[in-house]
């Protein structure tokens, strides 16, 4: 006769009487070609729900062809527009770098490096657009949507550093009085302004400071728009400073660069806060803290519940709130009725993905 407390690698100690069960409400991870009913409450012996491993090549049974690769990277209009904008910026920065080397203009070479670094960030945004279309798998069980939030945060952080560098440049110009040596940048600024205005027109629907983000791609698109808009404001500031200097206005460059620095900072700060909050996994901003407290009180007031603990809620991406908590059920209590009650309360708050662990008190 076997040991009644033998170890089972999948379920722990057999016959231990452990009543802990995990329940989760999650979207189906089946491919579009396979019809399956929408899951309701899933019950398992583990607190971790692992989806069926997803094959990255369901249509071909092998590596993707060049056509698949091109389709994924140029599948949507924003992706095609960003690819065109990147091509223009890379071509322009290469020409500016070569001209700067041949003419010995350090300012042109420096501006070319600035544009190249900006192109790298926009390339990461394009990569995030493409990768976010990949379905969840056994490793990234929540999918790749958060890459777009990370790309938006990276763009916002870069623009904050740009604002700081413009302020330092304005201070240096004021202290050294070296405004006239930058007049040759007027042609570069005009060309850069035209290219960036094209990018602003591409993403004009996101040309606002405060936007209600409903999806992860909204953050990414907004960051791209702010990126090219900030570069446009910077180029316009250099053009305006050059014009003021030609009119004999003293410290024109200091004034223009200072205004541009403040404008860029004010433009990007709301996006930086919003993306940072999601990456730090704070509570969903669209749910008041008092609402969570009220839900907790209603759950603990249930006749079959003795205690509620370890409640954690956060936004995976904009529009997708996630939560988990532990519920202690009284002896002889009905687990199913408690779970349905708790799920209903938090679903009304907008928590789409909720995992509940029940234990007997």
């Amino acid at each position: 006769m076997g040991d009644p407390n033998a170890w089972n690698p999948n379920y722990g100690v057999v016959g231990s009487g452990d009543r802990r069960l995990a329940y989760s409400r999650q979207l189906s991870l089946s491919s579009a070609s396979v019809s399956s009913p929408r899951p309701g409450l899933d019950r398992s012996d583990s607190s971790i729900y692992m989806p069926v491993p997803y094959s990255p090549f369901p249509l071909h049974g092998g590596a993707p062809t060049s056509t698949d690769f091109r389709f994924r990277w140029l599948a949507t209009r924003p992706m095609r527009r960003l690819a065109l904008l990147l091509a223009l910026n890379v071509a322009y920065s290469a020409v500016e770098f070569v001209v700067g080397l041949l003419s010995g203009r350090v300012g042109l070479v420096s501006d070319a490096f600035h544009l190249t670094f900006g192109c790298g960030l926009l390339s990461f945004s394009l990569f995030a657009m493409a990768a976010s279309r990949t379905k969840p798998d056994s490793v990234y069980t929540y999918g790749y949507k958060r890459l777009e939030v990370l790309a938006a945060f990276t763009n916002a952080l870069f623009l904050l550093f740009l604002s700081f560098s413009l302020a330092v440049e304005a201070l240096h110009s004021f202290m050294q009085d070296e405004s006239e040596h930058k007049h040759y940048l007027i042609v570069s600024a005009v060309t850069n302004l035209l290219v960036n205005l094209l990018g602003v027109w591409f993403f004009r629907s996101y040309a606002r400071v405060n936007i209600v983000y409903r999806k992860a791609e909204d953050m990414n698109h907004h960051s791209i728009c702010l990126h090219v808009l900030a570069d446009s404001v910077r180029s316009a500031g250099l053009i305006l400073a050059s014009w003021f200097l030609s009119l004999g206005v003293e410290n024109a460059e200091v004034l223009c660069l200072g205004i541009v620095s403040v404008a860029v900072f004010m433009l990007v700060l709301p996006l930086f806060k919003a993306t940072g909050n999601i990456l730090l996994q704070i509570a969903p901003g669209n749910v008041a803290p008092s609402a969570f407290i009220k839900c907790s009180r209603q759950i603990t007031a249930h006749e079959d519940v003795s205690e509620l603990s370890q409640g954690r809620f956060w936004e995976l991406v904009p529009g997708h709130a996630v939560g988990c908590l532990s519920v202690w059920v009284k002896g002889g209590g009905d687990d199913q009725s408690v779970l349905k009650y708790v799920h209903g309360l938090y679903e009304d708050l907008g928590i789409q993905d909720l995992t509940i662990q029940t234990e007997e008190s």
Side-chain angles (χ1 to χ4, degrees):
M1 182 175 180
D3 185 358
N5 291 329
W7 174 259
N8 185 308
N10 294 322
Y11 303 103
V13 179
V14 178
S16 62
D18 191 353
R19 295 182 69 252
R20 290 181 297 175
L21 299 171
Y23 298 82
S24 63
R25 184 189 300 273
Q26 296 181 343
L27 297 177
S28 173
L29 297 175
S30 302
S31 60
S33 60
V34 180
S35 59
S36 60
R38 178 184 178 89
L41 297 177
D42 299 330
R43 175 172 177 169
S44 66
D45 294 292
S46 171
S47 60
I48 301 177
Y49 174 79
M50 296 298 294
V52 177
Y54 169 74
S55 173
F57 315 122
L59 299 178
H60 300 283
T65 64
S66 59
T67 304
D68 298 329
F69 182 81
R70 179 180 60 82
F71 178 78
R72 173 172 290 187
W73 281 82
L74 303 176
T76 63
R77 176 178 292 181
M79 295 169 68
R80 291 190 291 270
R81 287 180 169 181
L82 182 55
L84 175 60
L85 181 64
L86 272 171
L88 292 175
N89 273 285
V90 169
Y92 171 68
S93 62
V95 172
E96 189 178 35
F97 179 75
V98 172
V99 172
L101 285 180
L102 296 178
S103 61
R105 299 290 191 179
V106 179
L108 288 177
V109 176
S110 175
D111 191 61
F113 276 110
H114 165 79
L115 291 177
T116 303
F117 190 72
C119 288
L121 293 176
L122 293 179
S123 299
F124 181 50
S125 294
L126 180 60
F127 167 77
M129 288 182 185
S132 65
R133 297 170 61 84
T134 304
K135 295 182 179 180
D137 52 37
S138 59
V139 178
Y140 296 94
T141 55
Y142 280 111
Y144 300 81
K145 286 289 185 181
R146 240 190 193 188
L147 270 176
E148 300 217 60
V149 180
L150 181 60
F153 177 80
T154 306
N155 270 311
L157 188 62
F158 166 75
L159 293 178
L160 287 179
F161 277 113
L162 174 63
S163 173
F164 176 74
S165 67
L166 289 174
V168 172
E169 187 177 351
L171 181 62
H172 181 268
S173 179
F174 175 76
M175 295 177 63
Q176 300 296 330
D177 192 20
E178 296 179 350
S179 299
E180 295 187 2
H181 81 290
K182 295 182 180 179
H183 284 182
Y184 62 89
L185 287 177
I186 185 65
V187 177
S188 173
V190 170
T191 308
N192 193 23
L193 177 62
L194 294 176
V195 174
N196 284 313
L197 285 179
L198 179 64
V200 173
W201 183 80
F202 280 163
F203 296 91
R204 61 190 178 277
S205 59
Y206 295 90
R208 300 189 300 275
V209 177
N210 293 310
I211 292 181
V212 178
Y213 305 109
R214 294 181 174 85
K215 297 179 292 184
E217 64 183 27
D218 289 341
M219 282 188 164
N220 197 10
H221 294 173
H222 189 208
S223 72
I224 295 169
C225 181
L226 291 183
H227 188 124
V228 294
L229 183 61
D231 274 347
S232 301
V233 173
R234 172 176 172 268
S235 299
L238 292 176
I239 296 171
L240 191 61
S242 179
W243 180 59
F244 282 157
L245 286 172
S246 66
L247 296 178
V249 179
E250 296 183 358
N251 295 323
E253 188 175 14
V254 177
L255 177 62
C256 292
L257 289 178
I259 293 175
V260 170
S261 175
V262 174
V264 171
F265 182 82
M266 297 300 294
L267 280 173
V268 75
L269 188 60
L271 176 65
F272 179 76
K273 288 182 177 180
T275 53
N277 287 340
I278 288 184
L279 294 177
L280 289 174
Q281 298 190 164
I282 69 168
N286 59 341
V287 181
S290 59
F292 286 115
I293 297 176
K294 183 179 179 180
C295 272
S296 299
R297 290 175 179 174
Q298 289 178 310
I299 294 171
T300 53
H302 193 278
E303 59 182 4
D304 290 333
V305 176
S306 61
E307 185 182 351
L308 175 69
S309 63
Q310 298 181 357
R312 295 179 175 87
F313 304 92
W314 67 96
E315 270 191 306
L316 179 67
V317 293
H320 187 174
V322 180
C324 62
L325 68 158
S326 296
V327 178
W328 293 77
V329 181
K330 295 178 181 178
D334 186 0
D335 289 342
Q336 288 292 336
S337 65
V338 171
L339 290 169
K340 291 180 180 179
Y341 179 71
V342 174
H343 270 293
L345 288 177
Y346 284 107
E347 188 175 6
D348 292 340
L349 291 183
I351 308 299
Q352 296 94 340
D353 193 343
L354 180 64
T355 301
I356 304 172
Q357 177 176 299
T358 63
E359 300 192 39
E360 183 179 10
S361 58

